[in-house]
Amino acid sequence: MSISQGVFFEGTTVIHRLNPFTKLVIAFSLTLTALVADTVWIPLAVLLVSIVLLTLAGGLWKVGRIIVRYLLIMLAFLFVVHSLWYTGGESPVRMVGPFEIKIYGFLYASMISLRLLVVLSSFYMMMFTTHPSDLVFNLERRGLPPKLAYVMLATLQSITEMQERTAVIMDVQKCRGVEMEGGLVTRARAYFPLIGPLIIGSILNIENRALALEVRGFSSGATRTYIQKVEEARWEVWLRYFLVLLPILSLAVRCLW
Amino acid sequence: MVNSIQISGVQYTYPGSDHPALVLDEMTIQEGQICWLSGLNGAGKTTLCRLLAGLIPHFFRGQLSGGIQVHGQDTTQLALADVSGLVGFIMDDPFDQLTRATYTVRGEIAFGLQNIGLPPDEIHERIEETMGQLGIAALAERLPTSLSGGEQQRVAIASIFARRPNVLVMDEATSQLDPQGCEDIFDLVTRFKEMGKTILMVESKPDNISQVADRLLVLQDGHLIANGPVKDVLGSGVYEQAGLSLPSYPSLARGLQAKAVAVEKLPVTLEEARVMVERLRHASH
């Protein structure tokens, strides 16, 4: 198992080489820029930037797969509901076959979808290219309390950890003859023998991790020593300043137009 | 010999329980010994380990009375971080013990030293020294979670050992390892003893531990029912009365005794077993 790496994959791309803090700022900046905008063009532009970054990081295909597997149905449902049953006021309509598509509803669904895609792609860009401990160590060096940093790290790692644990429990239950695959009802039924061991196992795991930290003086109260150096280029600092400005600019566009 | 661990009048009850998990009138362990702690499930072995490691009462609350002294210091009065410098605690699952906050073995060992604020030079020095002592220098730049179980356990031990504790408490440290991984850990334990460390091992592989242990402590329902040299405790019958299975050599001797073959002393080591077989062979001629 290599749970500690989360969804990170090793690489030498330009995105991999960025300082983890810069990547975090990129993710937050793009997300906020898309969230505060009230026209679809800004989230669309931000999404294109995210796609370029993902391509540079070599993770476009991976995120594409995640979107198809987990998000596509939800987005399709969103478009259908808002296009056909938009309740936000009078809207121009357009007939598509027998269906009356409400344009404002369609635009609203587009806005939500674009925002979701921006959040997903920008944060995955960061997580794909940043080892969780690098990110946490970097934040700790910038003043984040070690306990909070560790909680953050554990949370990032828990995604893959829960996936691994779920796969193991599913295999065990299958060996016992429990139907884990099939139609919707079969899958829903399969949740019950899965949830119990998953939750109990996770709680025990948390206790063991806490014990492992405590027996290594984690709560000593002493000022932690750092033995690694944080290195970053000057231009990255300027890039971060620019990234902080992006959501503000987006907000300004919203207010002025 | 100096007393490494001294426990007197200890009683501990877990939160929400009305039955004490551990009741120890008196228990003394001398410095530089390997002690094998045995007992059935629920006998209180893990509770005793947690008590010695300071996790009781600092991590697991509950009701505790009595005195626990490690190298003359009352662990109940020390902060947990200070106890962890005196007593190193190693658990059963090597994977669970990895902090997963670092991606090299070197970083994993450094973690505990960084937490107590040691200067960087001393941290580097201790890492190199510990890796050398435990024979894991070749793993220094490897990702800890990608190692085998035995290697992970050695890394976990190294990260504890780098704090230079006087006492090592190992709770089923070999239970999830393959035979080679177990051998490695028992070799390490023997080396720790040579360094003058006191080791308390909860161990479910009697054949291995009986070869290296100096003393055997047997717990039953939270009470210490035996504490003495391994050979004496195994020979006294207390161990079997507690429902525990004898290691292979004493078990062989017990089998012979049951068939009315005269065996004076239970052999514990391979050498003692060889001598016993030789004697029986001579006697039969």
Side-chain angles (χ1 to χ4, degrees):
Chain A
M1 280 197 288
S2 56
I3 282 171
S4 69
Q5 297 200 78
V7 292
F8 166 73
F9 66 91
E10 280 182 37
T12 53
T13 69
V14 64
I15 306 293
H16 278 88
R17 291 198 301 271
L18 283 177
N19 184 289
F21 187 55
T22 305
K23 285 183 262 188
L24 184 70
V25 174
I26 291 175
F28 271 109
S29 172
L30 296 184
T31 301
L32 283 175
T33 305
L35 287 180
V36 297
D38 68 345
T39 159
V40 288
W41 300 110
I42 291 178
L44 187 63
V46 171
L47 182 63
L48 288 174
V49 173
S50 297
I51 289 171
V52 171
L53 294 175
L54 269 174
T55 310
L56 288 174
L60 187 63
W61 175 236
K62 288 179 200 290
V63 174
R65 267 192 359 209
I66 291 167
I67 289 169
V68 170
R69 281 177 70 181
Y70 303 109
L71 210 60
L72 207 59
I73 293 175
M74 199 186 90
L75 294 182
F77 192 68
L78 201 73
F79 270 97
V80 169
V81 168
H82 284 284
S83 300
L84 298 178
W85 295 288
Y86 181 65
T87 55
E90 281 297 308
S91 167
V93 293
R94 190 167 182 168
M95 294 305 291
V96 176
F99 302 107
E100 194 178 77
I101 303 295
K102 294 187 170 68
I103 300 297
Y104 287 170
F106 182 81
L107 286 175
Y108 183 69
S110 306
M111 185 70 124
I112 294 176
S113 305
L114 285 168
R115 284 172 174 170
L116 275 173
L117 290 172
V118 166
V119 174
L120 192 83
S121 55
S122 56
F123 275 92
Y124 260 106
M125 179 274 299
M126 180 195 74
M127 286 156 68
F128 276 149
T129 57
T130 314
H131 193 287
S133 59
D134 273 344
L135 175 67
V136 171
F137 159 72
N138 208 287
L139 293 176
E140 220 183 299
R141 290 298 296 265
R142 292 172 198 274
L144 190 74
K147 278 192 182 172
L148 191 58
Y150 199 84
V151 167
M152 210 176 133
L153 175 69
T155 309
L156 285 172
Q157 290 171 342
S158 67
I159 302 164
T160 39
E161 205 164 316
M162 293 281 263
Q163 282 174 341
E164 298 248 0
R165 201 180 292 275
T166 305
V168 171
I169 297 168
M170 279 178 74
D171 284 346
V172 170
Q173 302 294 28
K174 276 184 211 168
C175 291
R176 292 175 180 174
V178 179
E179 284 281 342
M180 303 299 281
E181 281 159 9
L184 203 64
V185 178
T186 312
R187 280 169 183 254
R189 247 190 243 141
Y191 261 104
F192 295 103
L194 185 72
I195 291 292
L198 187 65
I199 291 174
I200 292 166
S202 299
I203 291 169
L204 286 174
N205 182 258
I206 290 167
E207 184 178 278
N208 284 338
R209 284 187 80 163
L211 282 176
L213 293 179
E214 290 303 334
V215 297
R216 294 194 206 176
F218 190 62
S219 303
S220 74
T223 308
R224 194 170 152 77
T225 311
Y226 295 100
I227 53 173
Q228 291 162 286
K229 286 177 185 155
V230 175
E231 287 170 2
E232 62 180 337
R234 190 76 196 144
W235 65 266
E236 279 198 50
V237 180
W238 288 108
L239 175 66
R240 289 202 295 267
Y241 286 135
F242 171 71
L243 288 164
V244 170
L245 281 178
L246 269 186
I248 298 169
L249 283 173
S250 177
L251 190 65
V253 169
R254 181 180 181 154
C255 295
L256 296 174
W257 275 276
Chain B
M1 268 194 173
V2 181
N3 282 342
S4 185
I5 298 168
Q6 200 157 17
I7 289 177
S8 51
V10 160
Q11 182 160 324
Y12 174 72
T13 309
Y14 279 105
S17 170
D18 50 5
H19 184 73
L22 202 62
V23 183
L24 296 177
D25 297 331
E26 199 69 40
M27 189 185 104
T28 306
I29 295 173
Q30 288 171 334
E31 197 176 14
Q33 291 194 323
I34 299 175
C35 300
W36 166 22
L37 179 60
S38 193
L40 292 177
N41 282 344
K45 305 185 295 291
T46 296
T47 305
L48 178 55
C49 291
R50 288 171 175 173
L51 185 75
L52 292 172
L55 294 168
I56 293 172
H58 299 293
F59 190 89
F60 298 95
R61 302 293 174 184
Q63 288 184 311
L64 174 69
S65 57
I68 305 114
Q69 298 229 321
V70 177
H71 275 255
Q73 299 199 59
D74 186 346
T75 57
T76 58
Q77 301 302 314
L78 293 174
L80 183 52
D82 296 326
V83 181
S84 66
L86 266 180
V87 183
F89 182 50
I90 292 126
M91 295 182 279
D92 55 344
D93 189 339
F95 187 77
D96 275 351
Q97 292 174 88
L98 300 176
T99 60
R100 285 164 260 179
T102 63
Y103 50 91
T104 62
V105 165
R106 196 185 291 278
E108 188 71 29
I109 300 171
F111 186 82
L113 306 174
Q114 289 175 276
N115 285 336
I116 54 167
L118 287 183
D121 288 347
E122 190 174 347
I123 291 177
H124 289 300
E125 185 192 311
R126 285 204 195 188
I127 292 170
E128 296 307 322
E129 187 187 299
T130 308
M131 287 197 301
Q133 284 170 332
L134 273 69
I136 54 169
L139 307 176
E141 301 306 323
R142 297 269 305 274
L143 178 71
T145 48
S146 69
L147 302 174
S148 71
E151 288 170 334
Q152 281 183 1
Q153 191 64 292
R154 279 201 286 168
V155 172
I157 293 172
S159 62
I160 297 291
F161 198 66
R163 293 278 313 269
R164 296 181 179 160
N166 299 107
V167 177
L168 278 166
V169 174
M170 304 171 91
D171 188 4
E172 304 260 13
T174 66
S175 65
Q176 302 199 14
L177 305 185
D178 59 22
Q180 186 54 51
C182 291
E183 284 297 320
D184 291 345
I185 298 302
F186 284 111
D187 284 348
L188 272 183
V189 167
T190 313
R191 262 190 277 163
F192 290 152
K193 184 192 168 183
E194 287 163 8
M195 293 176 202
K197 307 289 180 190
T198 308
I199 300 113
L200 184 83
M201 281 187 95
V202 174
E203 195 42 70
S204 51
K205 296 182 178 68
D207 281 336
N208 298 66
I209 183 74
S210 61
Q211 301 303 299
V212 296
D214 300 298
R215 293 184 81 80
L216 171 56
L217 293 83
V218 183
L219 280 171
Q220 193 175 37
D221 298 327
H223 296 265
L224 187 69
I225 56 167
N227 178 6
V230 175
K231 195 183 286 186
D232 293 355
V233 176
L234 292 179
S236 68
V238 177
Y239 184 85
E240 294 151 280
Q241 283 159 20
L244 298 159
S245 301
L246 282 170
S248 299
Y249 304 137
S251 178
L252 171 69
R254 277 276 190 263
L256 290 169
Q257 284 173 339
K259 293 196 181 299
V261 178
V263 178
E264 290 172 17
K265 286 180 185 172
L266 291 192
V268 176
T269 64
L270 174 63
E271 180 56 23
E272 288 168 359
R274 193 190 61 77
V275 170
M276 178 191 79
V277 172
E278 281 295 317
R279 274 196 194 141
L280 290 174
R281 212 167 58 171
H282 281 297
S284 66
H285 283 306

